[in-house]
Amino acid sequence: MADDKKHAENDAALVRQLAEILNETDLTEVEVERGDLKIKVKRSITVAAAPVAYAPAPAPVAAAPAAAATAMPSDPAAIVARAGEEVKSPMVGTAYLQASPEAPVFVKKGDTVKKGQTLLIVEAMKTMNPIQAPRDGVIADILVGDAQPVEFGEALVLLEA
């Protein structure tokens, strides 16, 4: 009986040690096997943790109001007067107008583009997602700034026939 209590205390201590390992690392699961004893400790990842992926970018967020102010007209009449097809963001993320800081921009206002051509990139959860032209046309306007946070459904580019 004393042996069972000692094993239970040792097992509990092992579980605590495994939990500490999970907390100290980026692991989500640890498993240990000793003879016929098998202990698995898991940490579940919740959806609420997803916004943490955007936290490391305070500089672009601070610059976003200035970029948004220049990209979006404040006069409602100017917004209504936009002619052409809006290419919208399919996700929440950060818009980038070029592949890397040293690279040229994908497109500029006035450029002629072909269907499927990359217009810009939206980064979401460290994945770069190319936003492509839905059809042939001319870039009438680029409505976002480089490294600007964007929302789902937000207009990114205005495409004319």
Side-chain angles (χ1 to χ4, degrees), residues 128-146:
M128 300 299 180
N129 302 283
I131 305 303
Q132 299 175 337
R135 60 176 174 77
D136 293 357
V138 176
I139 302 296
D141 204 359
I142 299 172
L143 306 173
V144 294
D146 191 43

Side-chain angles (χ1 to χ4, degrees), residues 93-144:
T94 303
Y96 292 101
L97 303 179
Q98 58 218 44
S100 69
E102 312 82 40
V105 293
F106 290 108
V107 293
K108 298 182 295 289
K109 186 174 178 177
D111 284 357
T112 301
V113 295
K114 296 285 183 191
K115 179 179 179 176
Q117 181 177 338
T118 299
L119 304 175
L120 53 91
I121 293 173
V122 174
E123 176 194 9
M125 297 180 66
K126 298 185 181 182
T127 300
M128 300 299 180
N129 302 283
I131 305 303
Q132 299 175 337
R135 60 176 174 77
D136 293 357
V138 176
I139 302 296
D141 204 359
I142 299 172
L143 306 173
V144 294

Side-chain angles (χ1 to χ4, degrees), residues 1-2 6 40 71 77 79 82 86 118 120 125 127 130-132 134 137 153 156 160:
M1 188 93 156
K6 186 175 181 178
K40 183 187 284 188
I79 294 171
R82 288 195 286 208
E86 292 179 340
T118 299
L120 53 91
M125 297 180 66
T127 300
I131 305 303
Q132 299 175 337
L156 305 171
E160 292 179 337

Side-chain angles (χ1 to χ4, degrees), residues 52-75:
V52 174
Y54 299 105
V61 171
T70 59
M72 292 297 295
S74 59
D75 179 16

Side-chain angles (χ1 to χ4, degrees), residues 16-125:
R16 279 191 211 94
Q17 288 175 336
L18 294 174
E20 284 179 33
I21 290 171
L22 287 180
N23 288 333
E24 295 170 358
T25 65
D26 288 332
L27 297 175
T28 56
E29 183 177 316
V30 176
E31 186 174 337
V32 173
E33 260 185 82
R34 289 186 185 161
D36 60 345
L37 173 69
K38 184 176 180 179
I39 299 175
K40 183 187 284 188
V41 179
K42 286 184 177 183
R43 172 177 38 184
S44 63
I45 305 297
T46 62
V47 176
V52 174
Y54 299 105
V61 171
T70 59
M72 292 297 295
S74 59
D75 179 16
I79 294 171
V80 174
R82 288 195 286 208
E85 178 181 352
E86 292 179 340
V87 178
K88 297 182 179 185
S89 179
M91 65 199 73
V92 173
T94 303
Y96 292 101
L97 303 179
Q98 58 218 44
S100 69
E102 312 82 40
V105 293
F106 290 108
V107 293
K108 298 182 295 289
K109 186 174 178 177
D111 284 357
T112 301
V113 295
K114 296 285 183 191
K115 179 179 179 176
Q117 181 177 338
T118 299
L119 304 175
L120 53 91
I121 293 173
V122 174
E123 176 194 9
M125 297 180 66

